[in-house]
Amino acid sequence: MPRIIVERNIEVPMRDGCVLRADLFRPDIPDKLPVLLNRTPYNKAMPMVYSGTLDALRAAEAGYNVMVQDCRGRFASDGVWNCFTDEARDGYDTIEWAARQTWANGNVGTYGASYMGATQWLAATNAPPSLKAMAPSITASDYHDGWTYQGGAFALFFNVSWTMAALAPARLLRERADDPAAVGELGTVMSSLDSMREKMNFMPLKQFPMFSAGAPFFFDWLEHPAYDDYWRALSIEEHHAAINVPALNIGGWYDIFQGGTIRNYSGMRSRGGSDAARAGQRLIIGPWNHAVPFQNLVGAVDFGFRSSPVSVDIDGTTLRFFDHWLKGKAGADAEAPVRIFVMGTNNWRDEKDWPLPGTDFRRYYLHSRGRANSMYGDGALSTDAPSAEPPDSFLYNPLDPVPTVGGGLCCYPGALQGGAFDQQAVEHRADVLVYSTEPLPEDLEVTGPIVAILYASSSAPDTDFTAKLVDVSECGTALNLTDGIIRARWRNSRTTPAMLTPGKVEEFKIDMWSTSNVFKKGHRIRLEISSSNFPRFDRNPNTGHQQFADAEIRPAMQTIMHNHTFSSYLTLPLIPAQR
């Protein structure tokens, strides 16, 4: 095994003269080798960065030159960092610079998780000629819906915790010598980390008492709740046809960016910019969450050794993928395009595509006698369409929102943990409607995209509706699988808001993303419906005012219909036992 040379702070010039710095891990041999590049805002010197989704030393030992670079304006690199906006250009310049070095053979691959996945996709939209493959993990396809917003609601916990814990402090420390405002804000941010949850109660968000010096882009996000040119310029999905390289897409069922991981795979399979890009897409999804990815303990549930990092060996899978596309080795090309972890049975399974061929998309209709409120109500879920049934109603009070319990969360687990948790405490609330099947007579696999269609009205001109899919065991434990939200003003369009007419029944489509779970014999399938999931999402104040501009709050009476005319339902992707 060759000796590994580590070179620190190699200077990489950008086209505008800004210098970014990278650490290089390379085997001490004369051969020209492919380059693997990871671009990060989180400090290239941190072990979680250079050994997280792919261990730089292991990759170097496997015959790669591995570069880990600080993004513009972060840590060792020069310039000013602005979230997302420079990554396409800087990524392109770094890829082409690396390909021309004396130790490189001209082939470059990229890798990394979360924002390090964003740096890959954004660079790929500019089609750098030397980029031959990439391995983005737990990352998004659209930095509007599925990163900063979801279903029109602001991803409050993620946006505040990520900015407060991971983004703002480094910039404030860097600029405090020249900017008095940075000194004061640094103290505010650091003293607020332990009371982060309390800070999320603050309204209006446009007057949030920090980030103006350390993360001014936070307020840009608030200024652009619609999908407009600001977001369109950063969209990956709109540029799939310009991306011409294969990608190994790795995600988690409880990951905050699960939806984008799947949309990148599907979009590139159908619209990728070359035959190799379309045929070379791979998708791996485990039961993992975001804060501590690729671990078998996810929230309160241990999904077993088969989902553990030792068993899964993400490093080995990633290196086989790069060996094929950067070195021409066989192996990865013979692997199935889709590999999923099926919860409930806790097994991995190879599939031909996503959604799975042969999926039976079945409607499960909501039923009750008008009292589906809480787990003690009479809500039911079945494949029988409703006839004449009274609606269910609840009062949504933004001053007492339904609390977040698990799910797809990031980025500060010390304040709020993501993953699978028992939802019974939530289901005690009268503002949570609970609809459950009868105990299942046999095992039932649900694998694929989940959608809830609600026919509902509100007393407010704008409000939210939430939906959550839950697996209820014979002893009553109710584990969340996946969920979603829709903000009423964005129900018809991401670009053009439309207010409600109070009392008028409207259709609301809630994209609950995807899951893979076997509901065991004797378990129940459960759907929770409400109007808040706080602090994961910001509270809708029900006023219909400009978003985030004032602190006024009003309660709203919500009504969910389920009758012959307005048949609210949940679409589940059922997988036959024998395929």
Side-chain angles (χ1 to χ4, degrees):
M1 184 175 296
R3 184 171 67 104
I4 303 302
I5 298 172
V6 180
E7 300 179 46
R8 301 290 185 186
N9 292 322
I10 294 175
E11 296 190 350
V12 183
M14 299 295 100
R15 67 188 70 175
D16 63 354
C18 184
V19 174
L20 310 188
R21 293 175 178 84
D23 294 342
L24 176 65
F25 303 77
R26 62 183 181 88
D28 187 13
I29 57 177
D31 307 48
K32 293 178 179 291
L33 300 174
V35 177
L36 298 182
L37 172 65
N38 180 3
R39 301 189 62 252
T40 179
Y42 301 129
N43 192 350
K44 60 182 173 55
M46 288 184 63
M48 63 169 261
V49 171
Y50 65 76
S51 65
T53 50
L54 177 62
D55 189 305
L57 290 174
R58 179 175 173 181
E61 291 170 351
Y64 289 95
N65 299 308
V66 183
M67 281 181 62
V68 185
Q69 182 189 64
D70 285 329
C71 291
R72 177 184 295 251
R74 302 296 286 180
F75 300 96
S77 290
D78 296 345
V80 176
W81 188 65
N82 288 295
C83 195
F84 302 126
T85 57
D86 296 312
E87 307 303 357
R89 179 187 61 189
D90 288 352
Y92 181 106
D93 290 355
T94 302
I95 288 167
E96 293 308 308
W97 180 91
R100 296 192 303 269
Q101 301 311 298
T102 57
W103 30 261
N105 70 358
N107 292 336
V108 179
T110 58
Y111 72 96
S114 194
Y115 193 91
M116 288 89 87
T119 61
Q120 297 178 68
W121 282 112
L122 288 165
T125 63
N126 282 9
S130 302
L131 179 65
K132 305 302 181 184
M134 55 186 183
S137 304
I138 52 174
T139 196
S141 62
D142 181 334
Y143 303 109
H144 176 251
D145 185 72
W147 187 291
T148 309
Y149 291 82
Q150 185 175 329
F154 191 62
L156 180 69
F157 183 81
F158 167 60
N159 291 326
V160 172
S161 64
W162 181 47
T163 306
M164 187 183 295
L167 303 184
R171 178 166 174 173
L172 294 169
L173 284 165
R174 185 187 188 104
E175 297 180 0
R176 70 190 188 282
D178 301 317
D179 182 2
V183 177
E185 187 170 291
L186 178 62
T188 302
V189 169
M190 300 307 290
S191 64
S192 298
L193 287 171
D194 290 334
S195 57
M196 184 184 295
R197 286 284 299 273
E198 296 175 18
K199 295 296 183 292
M200 294 180 196
N201 293 320
F202 183 89
M203 293 180 70
L205 283 173
K206 284 188 177 180
Q207 298 176 22
F208 201 73
M210 57 187 84
F211 305 155
S212 59
F217 43 81
F218 179 88
F219 299 97
D220 292 339
W221 302 339
L222 296 172
E223 287 292 338
H224 295 272
Y227 183 66
D228 55 16
D229 289 343
Y230 175 87
W231 297 110
R232 197 168 287 111
L234 302 172
S235 174
I236 304 305
E237 293 182 45
E238 292 207 8
H239 294 87
H240 279 154
I243 300 172
N244 55 17
V245 296
L248 173 62
N249 302 276
I250 304 174
W253 296 128
Y254 291 96
D255 178 41
I256 190 172
F257 305 134
Q258 180 231 96
T261 298
I262 294 174
R263 291 202 298 268
N264 275 328
Y265 166 80
S266 298
M268 287 295 297
R269 285 277 284 188
S270 61
R271 303 189 304 279
S274 67
D275 290 342
R278 292 187 292 273
Q281 296 301 308
R282 295 293 182 266
L283 178 66
I284 299 174
I285 305 186
W288 310 305
N289 67 2
H290 196 93
V292 187
F294 316 130
Q295 301 293 319
N296 48 294
L297 182 61
V298 185
V301 176
D302 187 339
F303 286 99
F305 177 75
R306 285 195 277 281
S307 66
S308 70
V310 174
S311 175
V312 174
D313 188 16
I314 293 293
D315 279 12
T317 301
T318 303
L319 288 171
R320 285 196 305 276
F321 179 79
F322 284 133
D323 282 349
H324 176 68
W325 291 106
L326 302 185
K327 296 182 177 180
K329 292 184 178 180
D333 53 325
E335 296 178 4
V338 175
R339 185 166 176 78
I340 58 171
F341 186 90
V342 183
M343 299 179 291
T345 57
N346 292 354
N347 286 311
W348 288 97
R349 196 170 68 215
D350 291 341
E351 294 289 348
K352 296 179 180 179
D353 206 351
W354 183 271
L356 276 55
T359 300
D360 175 14
F361 289 96
R362 189 83 56 87
R363 290 184 178 184
Y364 281 73
Y365 293 94
L366 280 59
H367 298 273
S368 82
R369 295 185 298 276
R371 293 183 175 84
N373 308 75
S374 84
M375 62 189 296
Y376 305 109
D378 61 7
L381 200 61
S382 80
T383 55
D384 298 326
S387 53
E389 295 182 5
D392 292 303
S393 297
F394 63 93
L395 182 69
Y396 160 47
N397 181 0
L399 292 176
D400 183 25
V402 176
T404 299
V405 180
L409 292 174
C410 176
C411 167
Y412 196 70
L416 189 63
Q417 285 191 318
F421 288 91
D422 192 348
Q423 303 296 306
Q424 290 185 84
V426 168
E427 293 172 354
H428 276 71
R429 295 175 60 110
D431 58 353
V432 177
L433 304 181
V434 178
Y435 303 92
S436 307
T437 65
E438 292 297 316
L440 297 174
E442 58 186 4
D443 290 0
L444 182 65
E445 181 180 337
V446 172
T447 296
I450 316 291
V451 175
I453 300 294
L454 301 182
Y455 293 95
S457 65
S458 176
S459 63
D462 185 36
T463 195
D464 292 346
F465 288 103
T466 63
K468 184 189 301 174
L469 180 65
V470 179
D471 184 345
V472 185
S473 72
E474 293 168 304
C475 67
T477 301
L479 293 177
N480 54 303
L481 294 171
T482 190
D483 55 46
I485 190 169
I486 186 68
R487 181 144 294 175
R489 71 174 72 197
W490 305 110
R491 68 195 180 280
N492 299 322
S493 169
R494 291 171 59 194
T495 61
T496 307
M499 297 303 166
L500 297 173
T501 299
K504 181 182 177 182
V505 177
E506 300 263 12
E507 180 181 289
F508 298 88
K509 179 181 179 180
I510 305 178
D511 183 355
M512 301 170 67
W513 291 1
S514 298
T515 194
S516 181
N517 182 71
V518 172
F519 291 82
K520 304 296 286 184
K521 178 181 178 180
H523 285 213
R524 298 173 187 260
I525 302 171
R526 177 169 290 172
L527 175 67
E528 296 176 12
I529 299 295
S530 193
S531 285
S532 50
N533 183 352
F534 180 80
R536 180 175 175 188
F537 302 110
D538 73 304
R539 296 165 289 170
N540 195 315
N542 300 322
T543 61
H545 297 171
Q546 179 185 352
Q547 291 190 164
F548 320 121
D550 63 45
E552 183 180 350
I553 281 178
R554 300 175 190 169
M557 183 59 71
Q558 319 288 54
T559 301
I560 308 297
M561 310 296 292
H562 42 83
N563 56 38
H564 180 73
T565 305
F566 298 111
S567 302
S568 299
Y569 61 89
L570 172 71
T571 299
L572 293 180
L574 306 185
I575 306 302
Q578 302 296 326
R579 290 192 294 143

